Each structure stands twice: as structure tokens, then as C-alpha cells.
Amino acid sequence: GPLLQGLRRIGPHRVLLTSDHATSISLKTHTADPVVFALFDSEAPVFHPRRFHERDAKQTGDVVGVGHKLMRQFLGATT
């Protein structure tokens, strides 16, 4: 709550939430699966609420193969 209130006060903003690796519950170890991420843009007109876990992430079909491409998307780069 306090974080979101503070972000609203500073104006337009983006938030990227992710992890450094996937960890399979059934295997109990790190895997090469894509990691779940959530990217929020306060100026984006469309909002699709989802839970933050692997099953919902797979359903989006939104996969970023390498981290630097996700960072470019987060920073708003167009190329």
C-alpha cells in the first residue's frame, strides 16, 4: 500500500517484478523454464489482472527469450 501510494504521488511510472530463475516445486530445484514477470505501466490504458504464478504466465503466451529484451520493454525502447 505505501509503495503504491508513493508511486502515484510521483506521477507516471513503471514497475517490473520478476525473479532470477524458475524453481520447480515438484523437482525442488532450479530449472531452465522462463521466469514469471509482471510489468505495470501507470499510463497503459488496458489492465488485465492475473495472479503472479507460472500457470497464469503460460496462458498469456508473453515470453521474452532474453533478459535484455525485457529490460528494453520495461524502459520503453521501441527497437
Side-chain angles (χ1 to χ4, degrees):
L3 174 62
L4 294 176
Q5 291 171 4
L7 288 171
R8 287 186 196 110
R9 282 196 298 269
I10 65 170
H13 57 276
R14 289 187 175 148
V15 176
L16 176 62
L17 178 65
T18 190
S19 63
D20 62 345
H21 57 267
T23 303
S24 168
I25 291 174
S26 61
L27 298 175
K28 298 179 183 168
T29 188
H30 299 171
T31 67
D33 295 332
V35 297
V36 176
F37 70 91
L39 189 137
F40 173 78
D41 184 339
S42 67
E43 295 189 312
V46 179
F47 180 64
H48 300 286
R50 292 187 177 87
R51 292 170 292 187
F52 188 73
H53 60 71
E54 289 81 1
R55 185 178 42 221
D56 279 14
K58 281 184 182 181
Q59 291 175 355
T60 69
D62 190 5
V63 176
V64 179
V66 290
H68 69 86
K69 290 185 178 180
L70 179 58
M71 286 305 299
R72 291 182 63 78
Q73 184 178 348
F74 174 65
L75 296 172
T78 58
T79 59

